Amino acid sequence: MHVNSEPTTQEAPAQPARPAPKEAQGGATVAGRGFGAGDAEKAAALRRMKFVALALLVAMAVIFVIAFALQEEYPWLQYVRAAAEGGMVGALADWFAVTALFKYPMGIKIPHTAIIPRRKDQIGASLGEFVETNFLSEQVVQDKLASVNIARRAGQWLATPHGADRVAKEGAALIRGTFKVLNDDDVQAVIEGMVRKHLLTPPWGPPVGRMAERIFHDGHHHKLVDLLVDRAADWVDDNHETVSRLVSDRSPTWVPQFLDGLVGDKVYVEMLKFVRAVQADPNHQVRQSIDKYLNDLAQDLQHDPAMIARAEDIKAQVLGDPEVRELASRTWGTVKNALLGAVDDPDSELTIKFKAAVRDFGSRLVNDPELAGKVNAWIGDAAGYLVRTYRSDIAGVITDTVARWDAEETSQKIELQVGKDLQFIRINGTVVGSLAGLAIFTVAHLIFG
């Protein structure tokens, strides 16, 4: 027998009566598509149990015939005949009951037989409803998760080197798989769109002006001004000849050379004094002028339409279409190569830090009851939401799957799984029937003599 892997819309009652399968005759077929080596073992065990049950029935029949034939000559055989008769009745009744679950007994369409093939869909619906009601209850799932304490168990596993390595390995596989699925052009288009939306479309002037206003108001630019003044002082101090030559080059040709030297020296000395004064005095007029200029610039960037337009022109020149595309391509390529290189190298800084973070998180789950409680509560809420929202869909998988199965093959499959245990019913029926028949005959004989 086999299990059909394709849906079928035929109902069992509409199918023509089929001869009883080989299982009813002591055999079983398991060569179908839905059966494997384990099913072959179950089929062999089912055949053995059917043989035992049938052997007991035959034994009872033989004993009954012999006892019935000799009971006149040997009156005590009446008790044996009564026991054998009760055993046959019990065996036949239980054979009928067990067989009626899976097929028509001897192919005869007796009412209320072949229950599983005829009522396959109803059984699937009932099974789905049973699972939904008793197993997919939000309270049942949450209580079970609370008793398991998933956070602590997960923390104990994550805190071990093996657990952290496994998480890192699966994470690396996930990243590689994600990059393999993603199309570079699509990702670059997304990055380019985000850059245009969040970086290029909004005007730069007002936000830059607000940020500059805060910087200038708090005096954070003074260190930069100090650096520029120091570099200017160093340059003047080291370039006496350059200053003198510049003065000489720009003086009229009729001025004597020695006078050019005197003027150049004077200009150099005054320039050096000026720079040193600016360098030494934090409240120098030049510094105040710089502060005023920068504060005015910050205000103009926020409120002056002309300055805002100039900022937009600068933005357009710096970040045109080619530049944006190159930025998106370079950003994605850098991120992709960096991540792939890091996840492929077990000794990379990213992998080492990730494993350390996983172990640390696992230790916190074990040692921090408050954190573990929050994680357990989150897991319970998430599971409750999933069960509450999708319980019918989950249970529907059972109903829909059973509905797609072929009726006869479903019956054979179920019989293969539970048939061995059901054969004990036949055996017990034979034994119980024998004892009942013997007891009934004995009581009747004692009463009526």
Side-chain angles (χ1 to χ4, degrees):
M1 64 182 176
H2 65 278
V3 174
N4 191 2
S5 61
E6 299 179 356
T8 177
T9 57
Q10 289 182 323
E11 295 293 335
Q15 295 175 348
R18 297 186 176 106
K22 292 183 180 180
E23 296 92 330
Q25 305 169 9
T29 58
V30 293
R33 290 173 304 217
F35 301 91
D39 291 320
E41 296 177 0
K42 292 178 182 178
L46 176 60
R47 288 195 299 271
R48 288 194 298 270
M49 292 306 302
K50 284 187 176 183
F51 176 78
V52 171
L54 180 61
L56 284 177
L57 174 60
V58 172
M60 289 295 167
V62 172
I63 294 173
F64 172 79
V65 171
I66 295 174
F68 186 83
L70 300 178
Q71 64 181 348
E72 296 295 336
E73 183 177 354
Y74 303 98
W76 58 271
L77 287 177
Q78 298 177 26
Y79 295 92
V80 177
R81 186 260 310 164
E85 186 177 11
M88 286 192 300
V89 172
L92 290 172
D94 287 337
W95 166 82
F96 182 89
V98 171
T99 302
L101 289 173
F102 304 104
K103 58 180 72 71
Y104 293 112
M106 296 181 294
I108 303 174
K109 291 187 176 182
I110 303 173
H112 305 295
T113 58
I115 295 174
I116 292 177
R118 289 190 308 104
R119 300 181 59 84
K120 169 182 66 70
D121 293 346
Q122 293 90 330
I123 293 173
S126 299
L127 180 60
E129 182 180 357
F130 175 79
V131 172
E132 178 180 354
T133 303
N134 296 278
F135 294 95
L136 296 179
S137 166
E138 181 177 355
Q139 190 61 44
V140 170
V141 173
Q142 289 182 335
D143 291 344
K144 181 60 178 179
L145 292 175
S147 66
V148 172
N149 195 355
I150 292 180
R152 181 176 180 82
R153 292 191 177 186
Q156 291 174 341
W157 182 72
L158 292 174
T160 63
H162 171 72
D165 291 343
R166 180 63 182 273
V167 173
K169 181 179 179 180
E170 297 300 331
L174 177 62
I175 291 175
R176 285 193 294 268
T178 302
F179 283 140
K180 186 176 181 180
V181 171
L182 292 176
N183 183 278
D184 290 348
D185 293 336
D186 294 338
V187 176
Q188 292 172 14
V190 171
I191 296 176
E192 183 178 347
M194 294 177 63
V195 170
R196 293 186 184 280
K197 179 180 179 180
H198 299 288
L199 186 62
L200 297 184
T201 301
W204 280 14
V208 172
R210 287 191 295 268
M211 181 175 62
E213 183 180 8
R214 288 194 297 270
I215 293 174
F216 300 153
H217 180 270
D218 296 336
H220 296 303
H221 66 292
H222 288 158
K223 292 186 178 298
L224 177 59
V225 174
D226 291 341
L227 176 63
L228 294 176
V229 172
D230 291 342
R231 294 300 300 270
D234 292 341
W235 185 88
V236 174
D237 190 47
D238 295 336
N239 290 274
H240 176 266
E241 295 182 359
T242 302
V243 174
S244 298
R245 187 172 62 253
L246 289 173
V247 173
S248 177
D249 292 343
R250 284 163 176 74
S251 66
T253 56
W254 51 269
V255 176
Q257 187 175 1
F258 76 92
L259 189 58
D260 287 341
L262 293 175
V263 174
D265 291 340
K266 182 63 175 178
V267 170
Y268 171 78
V269 170
E270 293 301 325
M271 184 182 295
L272 184 59
K273 286 181 179 180
F274 175 77
V275 174
R276 293 297 185 190
V278 175
Q279 187 180 30
D281 186 4
N283 295 316
H284 194 277
Q285 183 179 0
V286 172
R287 292 178 179 269
Q288 293 177 359
S289 299
I290 294 174
D291 289 347
K292 183 178 184 306
Y293 171 78
L294 293 177
N295 282 292
D296 291 343
L297 177 62
Q299 293 299 321
D300 291 343
L301 285 172
Q302 297 180 68
H303 308 295
D304 185 5
M307 183 59 72
I308 294 175
R310 290 179 62 185
E312 290 302 298
D313 291 339
I314 295 174
K315 177 182 72 176
Q317 294 174 8
V318 174
L319 292 177
D321 287 343
E323 289 78 9
V324 172
R325 294 192 184 95
E326 183 181 358
L327 174 63
S329 176
R330 188 166 57 248
T331 301
W332 171 242
T334 302
V335 172
K336 180 178 179 180
N337 293 333
L339 280 177
L340 288 177
V343 300
D344 288 335
D345 183 7
D347 298 323
S348 66
E349 184 177 0
L350 176 63
T351 302
I352 293 174
K353 289 186 176 181
F354 179 76
K355 292 180 180 179
V358 171
R359 290 194 297 269
D360 178 68
F361 180 68
S363 299
R364 290 183 59 196
L365 285 177
V366 174
N367 301 319
D368 188 346
E370 183 178 359
L371 176 62
K374 290 181 179 179
V375 172
N376 282 328
W378 180 84
I379 294 174
D381 292 341
Y385 170 78
L386 292 175
V387 170
R388 183 172 61 253
T389 307
Y390 301 106
R391 56 184 295 182
S392 297
D393 297 328
I394 297 172
V397 173
I398 299 175
T399 303
D400 296 340
T401 301
V402 174
R404 288 194 300 268
W405 288 350
D406 177 79
E408 182 180 355
E409 292 169 354
T410 300
S411 176
Q412 294 173 350
K413 184 70 174 178
I414 295 176
E415 183 181 13
L416 191 62
Q417 302 302 318
V418 301
K420 176 184 176 182
D421 295 327
L422 291 179
Q423 297 308 309
F424 280 106
I425 296 177
R426 295 175 58 186
I427 296 173
N428 292 336
T430 304
V431 176
V432 172
S434 299
L435 296 176
L438 177 60
I440 292 172
F441 179 81
T442 301
V443 171
H445 188 74
L446 291 176
I447 293 176
F448 299 104

